[in-house]
mmCIF file of all heavy atoms in Angstrom:
data_model
loop_
_atom_site.group_PDB
_atom_site.id
_atom_site.type_symbol
_atom_site.label_atom_id
_atom_site.label_comp_id
_atom_site.label_asym_id
_atom_site.label_seq_id
_atom_site.Cartn_x
_atom_site.Cartn_y
_atom_site.Cartn_z
ATOM 1 N N ILE S 3 3.813 1.609 -1.412
ATOM 2 C CA ILE S 3 4.354 1.788 -2.765
ATOM 3 C C ILE S 3 3.262 2.323 -3.681
ATOM 4 O O ILE S 3 3.496 3.269 -4.446
ATOM 5 C CB ILE S 3 4.977 0.482 -3.289
ATOM 6 C CG1 ILE S 3 6.246 0.167 -2.489
ATOM 7 C CG2 ILE S 3 5.283 0.581 -4.784
ATOM 8 C CD1 ILE S 3 6.885 -1.165 -2.803
ATOM 9 N N VAL S 4 2.070 1.752 -3.615
ATOM 10 C CA VAL S 4 0.959 2.225 -4.444
ATOM 11 C C VAL S 4 0.676 3.696 -4.130
ATOM 12 O O VAL S 4 0.503 4.511 -5.041
ATOM 13 C CB VAL S 4 -0.310 1.368 -4.240
ATOM 14 C CG1 VAL S 4 -1.503 1.970 -4.972
ATOM 15 C CG2 VAL S 4 -0.081 -0.051 -4.722
ATOM 16 N N GLY S 5 0.648 4.043 -2.857
ATOM 17 C CA GLY S 5 0.409 5.423 -2.473
ATOM 18 C C GLY S 5 1.461 6.372 -3.015
ATOM 19 O O GLY S 5 1.140 7.474 -3.484
ATOM 20 N N LYS S 8 0.883 6.688 -6.801
ATOM 21 C CA LYS S 8 -0.305 7.502 -7.065
ATOM 22 C C LYS S 8 -0.031 8.984 -6.791
ATOM 23 O O LYS S 8 -0.478 9.852 -7.545
ATOM 24 C CB LYS S 8 -1.476 7.033 -6.203
ATOM 25 C CG LYS S 8 -2.164 5.801 -6.715
ATOM 26 C CD LYS S 8 -3.371 5.498 -5.835
ATOM 27 C CE LYS S 8 -4.287 4.495 -6.467
ATOM 28 N NZ LYS S 8 -5.543 4.339 -5.721
ATOM 29 N N LYS S 22 -4.310 5.138 -14.056
ATOM 30 C CA LYS S 22 -4.694 3.737 -13.931
ATOM 31 C C LYS S 22 -3.495 2.813 -14.182
ATOM 32 O O LYS S 22 -3.265 1.855 -13.437
ATOM 33 C CB LYS S 22 -5.819 3.416 -14.921
ATOM 34 C CG LYS S 22 -6.385 2.035 -14.800
ATOM 35 C CD LYS S 22 -7.553 1.838 -15.761
ATOM 36 C CE LYS S 22 -8.081 0.419 -15.680
ATOM 37 N NZ LYS S 22 -9.197 0.191 -16.602
ATOM 38 N N LEU S 24 -0.294 3.554 -13.864
ATOM 39 C CA LEU S 24 0.677 3.715 -12.782
ATOM 40 C C LEU S 24 0.207 3.027 -11.499
ATOM 41 O O LEU S 24 1.019 2.462 -10.754
ATOM 42 C CB LEU S 24 0.956 5.194 -12.537
ATOM 43 C CG LEU S 24 1.776 5.872 -13.642
ATOM 44 C CD1 LEU S 24 1.715 7.381 -13.511
ATOM 45 C CD2 LEU S 24 3.211 5.362 -13.632
ATOM 46 N N LYS S 30 1.613 -4.063 -8.642
ATOM 47 C CA LYS S 30 2.448 -5.210 -9.045
ATOM 48 C C LYS S 30 3.814 -5.162 -8.362
ATOM 49 O O LYS S 30 4.278 -6.171 -7.833
ATOM 50 C CB LYS S 30 2.624 -5.258 -10.565
ATOM 51 C CG LYS S 30 1.344 -5.395 -11.351
ATOM 52 C CD LYS S 30 0.646 -6.690 -11.103
ATOM 53 C CE LYS S 30 -0.624 -6.781 -11.940
ATOM 54 N NZ LYS S 30 -1.488 -7.867 -11.545
ATOM 55 N N ILE S 31 4.459 -4.002 -8.362
ATOM 56 C CA ILE S 31 5.786 -3.970 -7.725
ATOM 57 C C ILE S 31 5.678 -4.033 -6.212
ATOM 58 O O ILE S 31 6.576 -4.537 -5.547
ATOM 59 C CB ILE S 31 6.670 -2.779 -8.172
ATOM 60 C CG1 ILE S 31 6.110 -1.439 -7.735
ATOM 61 C CG2 ILE S 31 6.932 -2.822 -9.659
ATOM 62 C CD1 ILE S 31 7.124 -0.303 -7.833
ATOM 63 N N GLY S 32 4.580 -3.561 -5.661
ATOM 64 C CA GLY S 32 4.384 -3.661 -4.212
ATOM 65 C C GLY S 32 4.315 -5.114 -3.763
ATOM 66 O O GLY S 32 4.958 -5.511 -2.787
ATOM 67 N N GLN S 36 7.030 -7.453 -1.590
ATOM 68 C CA GLN S 36 6.686 -8.257 -0.418
ATOM 69 C C GLN S 36 7.164 -9.690 -0.577
ATOM 70 O O GLN S 36 7.721 -10.278 0.358
ATOM 71 C CB GLN S 36 5.177 -8.238 -0.166
ATOM 72 C CG GLN S 36 4.774 -9.031 1.068
ATOM 73 C CD GLN S 36 5.438 -8.516 2.331
ATOM 74 O OE1 GLN S 36 5.288 -7.341 2.652
ATOM 75 N NE2 GLN S 36 6.166 -9.346 3.043
ATOM 76 N N LYS S 48 21.997 -11.381 7.729
ATOM 77 C CA LYS S 48 21.959 -10.112 8.456
ATOM 78 C C LYS S 48 23.012 -9.158 7.901
ATOM 79 O O LYS S 48 22.763 -7.960 7.776
ATOM 80 C CB LYS S 48 22.186 -10.343 9.946
ATOM 81 C CG LYS S 48 22.133 -9.069 10.756
ATOM 82 C CD LYS S 48 22.332 -9.319 12.225
ATOM 83 C CE LYS S 48 22.303 -8.007 12.978
ATOM 84 N NZ LYS S 48 22.469 -8.174 14.411
ATOM 85 N N LYS S 49 24.160 -9.697 7.531
ATOM 86 C CA LYS S 49 25.243 -8.860 7.018
ATOM 87 C C LYS S 49 24.824 -8.133 5.735
ATOM 88 O O LYS S 49 25.090 -6.949 5.571
ATOM 89 C CB LYS S 49 26.482 -9.712 6.751
ATOM 90 C CG LYS S 49 27.675 -8.924 6.278
ATOM 91 C CD LYS S 49 28.877 -9.814 6.099
ATOM 92 C CE LYS S 49 30.068 -9.006 5.619
ATOM 93 N NZ LYS S 49 31.246 -9.831 5.409
ATOM 94 N N ILE S 50 24.139 -8.829 4.852
ATOM 95 C CA ILE S 50 23.725 -8.233 3.577
ATOM 96 C C ILE S 50 22.483 -7.359 3.745
ATOM 97 O O ILE S 50 22.409 -6.266 3.210
ATOM 98 C CB ILE S 50 23.471 -9.329 2.522
ATOM 99 C CG1 ILE S 50 24.790 -10.023 2.158
ATOM 100 C CG2 ILE S 50 22.815 -8.757 1.273
ATOM 101 C CD1 ILE S 50 24.637 -11.244 1.293
ATOM 102 N N LYS S 63 4.403 -16.310 10.856
ATOM 103 C CA LYS S 63 3.709 -15.584 9.799
ATOM 104 C C LYS S 63 3.572 -16.455 8.558
ATOM 105 O O LYS S 63 4.478 -17.210 8.203
ATOM 106 C CB LYS S 63 4.469 -14.310 9.425
ATOM 107 C CG LYS S 63 4.445 -13.248 10.498
ATOM 108 C CD LYS S 63 5.157 -12.003 10.011
ATOM 109 C CE LYS S 63 5.140 -10.906 11.059
ATOM 110 N NZ LYS S 63 5.853 -9.701 10.585
ATOM 111 N N TYR S 66 4.994 -16.136 1.451
ATOM 112 C CA TYR S 66 4.963 -16.781 0.137
ATOM 113 C C TYR S 66 5.847 -18.027 0.094
ATOM 114 O O TYR S 66 5.396 -19.082 -0.369
ATOM 115 C CB TYR S 66 5.340 -15.782 -0.965
ATOM 116 C CG TYR S 66 4.142 -15.010 -1.442
ATOM 117 C CD1 TYR S 66 3.666 -13.915 -0.731
ATOM 118 C CD2 TYR S 66 3.458 -15.394 -2.589
ATOM 119 C CE1 TYR S 66 2.552 -13.220 -1.155
ATOM 120 C CE2 TYR S 66 2.344 -14.702 -3.019
ATOM 121 C CZ TYR S 66 1.894 -13.621 -2.302
ATOM 122 O OH TYR S 66 0.780 -12.933 -2.722
ATOM 123 N N PRO S 67 7.091 -17.971 0.544
ATOM 124 C CA PRO S 67 7.907 -19.190 0.507
ATOM 125 C C PRO S 67 7.319 -20.338 1.333
ATOM 126 O O PRO S 67 7.413 -21.499 0.935
ATOM 127 C CB PRO S 67 9.254 -18.744 1.083
ATOM 128 C CG PRO S 67 9.305 -17.293 0.826
ATOM 129 C CD PRO S 67 7.887 -16.816 0.964
ATOM 130 N N LEU S 72 10.163 -21.676 -2.333
ATOM 131 C CA LEU S 72 11.064 -20.620 -2.802
ATOM 132 C C LEU S 72 11.038 -20.459 -4.317
ATOM 133 O O LEU S 72 10.983 -19.340 -4.830
ATOM 134 C CB LEU S 72 12.491 -20.887 -2.319
ATOM 135 C CG LEU S 72 12.714 -20.666 -0.824
ATOM 136 C CD1 LEU S 72 14.049 -21.240 -0.385
ATOM 137 C CD2 LEU S 72 12.635 -19.182 -0.500
ATOM 138 N N GLU S 80 8.932 -12.493 -10.231
ATOM 139 C CA GLU S 80 9.399 -12.122 -11.566
ATOM 140 C C GLU S 80 8.233 -11.848 -12.509
ATOM 141 O O GLU S 80 8.284 -10.908 -13.307
ATOM 142 C CB GLU S 80 10.315 -13.213 -12.112
ATOM 143 C CG GLU S 80 11.648 -13.257 -11.386
ATOM 144 C CD GLU S 80 12.510 -14.462 -11.740
ATOM 145 O OE1 GLU S 80 12.096 -15.287 -12.587
ATOM 146 O OE2 GLU S 80 13.610 -14.572 -11.168
ATOM 147 N N GLN S 88 4.839 -4.078 -18.190
ATOM 148 C CA GLN S 88 3.830 -4.017 -19.250
ATOM 149 C C GLN S 88 2.792 -2.928 -18.977
ATOM 150 O O GLN S 88 2.276 -2.316 -19.915
ATOM 151 C CB GLN S 88 3.141 -5.374 -19.399
ATOM 152 C CG GLN S 88 4.044 -6.442 -19.963
ATOM 153 C CD GLN S 88 3.447 -7.843 -19.840
ATOM 154 O OE1 GLN S 88 2.340 -8.022 -19.327
ATOM 155 N NE2 GLN S 88 4.198 -8.839 -20.291
ATOM 156 N N TYR S 95 9.666 5.757 -23.777
ATOM 157 C CA TYR S 95 10.863 5.206 -23.138
ATOM 158 C C TYR S 95 11.373 6.126 -22.030
ATOM 159 O O TYR S 95 11.686 5.676 -20.931
ATOM 160 C CB TYR S 95 11.963 4.978 -24.186
ATOM 161 C CG TYR S 95 13.263 4.505 -23.591
ATOM 162 C CD1 TYR S 95 13.483 3.152 -23.371
ATOM 163 C CD2 TYR S 95 14.261 5.401 -23.233
ATOM 164 C CE1 TYR S 95 14.666 2.699 -22.809
ATOM 165 C CE2 TYR S 95 15.447 4.956 -22.659
ATOM 166 C CZ TYR S 95 15.645 3.616 -22.456
ATOM 167 O OH TYR S 95 16.811 3.172 -21.897
ATOM 168 N N ALA S 98 9.048 5.838 -19.006
ATOM 169 C CA ALA S 98 8.834 4.499 -18.449
ATOM 170 C C ALA S 98 10.102 3.843 -17.917
ATOM 171 O O ALA S 98 10.050 3.108 -16.925
ATOM 172 C CB ALA S 98 8.200 3.592 -19.503
ATOM 173 N N CYS S 109 13.609 -7.738 -8.178
ATOM 174 C CA CYS S 109 13.944 -9.161 -8.352
ATOM 175 C C CYS S 109 15.445 -9.413 -8.362
ATOM 176 O O CYS S 109 15.879 -10.531 -8.077
ATOM 177 C CB CYS S 109 13.311 -9.703 -9.628
ATOM 178 S SG CYS S 109 11.564 -10.085 -9.416
#
Side-chain angles (χ1 to χ4, degrees):
I3 291 174
V4 173
K8 281 184 166 188
K22 185 176 177 181
L24 289 166
K30 300 295 181 192
I31 66 165
Q36 182 59 57
K48 181 179 179 179
K49 183 177 180 181
I50 293 171
K63 291 183 179 179
Y66 274 81
L72 288 167
E80 289 171 1
Q88 291 168 0
Y95 176 86
C109 281

